[in-house]
Structure formats: structure tokens, C-alpha cells
Amino acid sequence: MSLKAVNIDPFLLAGIYPQPLIAGTGNTPGDPETDSQPTLCLGNNRQKILLLIHNETAAFLPEPEFKLLSNLLSACKFSLDDVALVNIARLPATDIYPLMQQFTPHKTILFGKALAPLSAKSQKNSPWEEGTCQFLHTDSLEDMNNNKQLKVPFWNALKVFFNLTASQ
């Protein structure tokens, strides 16, 4: 079997190589070459749900936070296939508009300090709407994993955000 035929899960690959393999490509923010590249994400965004995190130590999420996110998605009847997970710590700029253009989300969840200026517009765990997208700001997955009491208000907000009923 050729190595060209091997498919590797993006999450696994991101865990193996959390830092760029090639230091200093010479591109800087504002370069047309840098700005025209699509943002790397985990998931297929089938339901147009954008999840924004800010993690400077991993490509996406460490295993405990990824497991928590997977469990939350499962409880909402979603999978990684339904969402686009983006680590904004890996982006040259933290402007929401290029992300909105690329992913065209109907719903966006801001975890922790992801896009803090945008999340400052509302109370934590209280959905709001801008244009055609609904937003929800909550604690980071790391904080929720370390403090179980933070999960309850987020879960209650998710039920409203995704119109979940007891029968689902």
C-alpha cells in the first residue's frame, strides 16, 4: 500500500503536529496569498454551525476538551460532521467577517475568549442574533471541563439555542 493512499483523520493529524511544521513561511497578515487561503477547520459544517475556540497550545483541542465537545454535540443530536470547529488562535486576525463568508453559519458558538469583542455584546449563555446568524457566548471548554457547574447554564442555553425538547 502506498503512503499516498492512506487517509488520516484531521483531528489525529492536528494532535500529532500541534505546531506548524515549517517555521516562517514569509507570509504576513494582509498578504493576498495568506488572506485568500481558507481557514482550517475540523468538521464538515453540514448544519452550518460554527464553533469558535481560542487554544494557543493545540491545533484544535486537547483530548479532554474534545471529548466534552463531542459529548455536548451528541446530546444535541449533532456530530463533528455537522459543525465547523475553528481555533482562532491560529488565525492571523480575529475578524469575524471572513469566517462568516467562508462558513456561512446559521449558528455560531463562541467558547471562552474567542472573539472577545464580539462576545462582549451579550451576557454569557444568552443567545443573540446579528443578521442571519444566531450567536451564543459561553465559557471555554477547558473551564467547563474543570468546573462542572459551568456546564449547567451552558446546557440550558444550548437547549434554547437549538430548540431542543425533552422528546429529542
Side-chain angles (χ1 to χ4, degrees):
M1 173 185 253
S2 168
L3 287 178
K4 292 180 182 179
V6 175
N7 281 334
I8 298 177
D9 180 14
F11 179 72
L12 177 63
L13 190 59
I16 294 171
Y17 300 105
Q19 300 298 322
L21 294 177
I22 302 170
T25 61
N27 294 339
T28 57
D31 284 350
E33 186 176 330
T34 302
D35 290 344
S36 65
Q37 295 176 351
T39 301
L40 181 65
C41 75
L42 210 56
N44 291 320
N45 198 27
R46 298 223 193 277
Q47 296 292 324
K48 300 293 185 184
I49 300 168
L50 180 59
L51 307 177
L52 299 177
I53 59 168
H54 187 277
N55 188 317
E56 295 177 1
T57 61
F60 289 100
L61 290 169
E63 185 61 33
E65 286 86 22
F66 185 76
K67 184 176 179 181
L68 172 61
L69 178 63
S70 295
N71 290 341
L72 287 166
L73 289 172
S74 293
C76 294
K77 307 292 188 219
F78 295 120
S79 70
L80 199 55
D81 194 45
D82 298 316
V83 303
L85 176 66
V86 175
N87 184 358
I88 65 162
R90 302 287 177 213
L91 300 180
T94 55
D95 186 8
I96 186 74
Y97 299 106
L99 296 173
M100 299 301 281
Q101 287 177 336
Q102 179 180 344
F103 297 103
T104 61
H106 300 296
K107 298 191 182 277
T108 300
I109 300 177
L110 308 162
F111 289 96
K113 63 181 184 177
L115 295 177
L118 180 63
S119 59
K121 293 182 176 185
S122 75
Q123 292 181 337
K124 197 178 290 182
N125 296 316
S126 180
W128 81 95
E129 196 168 316
E130 285 193 27
T132 60
C133 187
Q134 290 182 314
F135 291 86
L136 178 64
H137 172 240
T138 191
D139 296 289
S140 71
L141 290 163
E142 180 181 17
D143 289 346
M144 281 191 261
N145 210 31
N146 294 332
N147 183 350
K148 308 299 183 204
Q149 293 177 349
L150 297 176
K151 289 182 195 176
V152 174
F154 178 54
W155 175 244
N156 290 333
L158 278 179
K159 290 191 286 189
V160 172
F161 195 61
F162 290 121
N163 297 319
L164 302 176
T165 61
S167 64
Q168 286 184 321

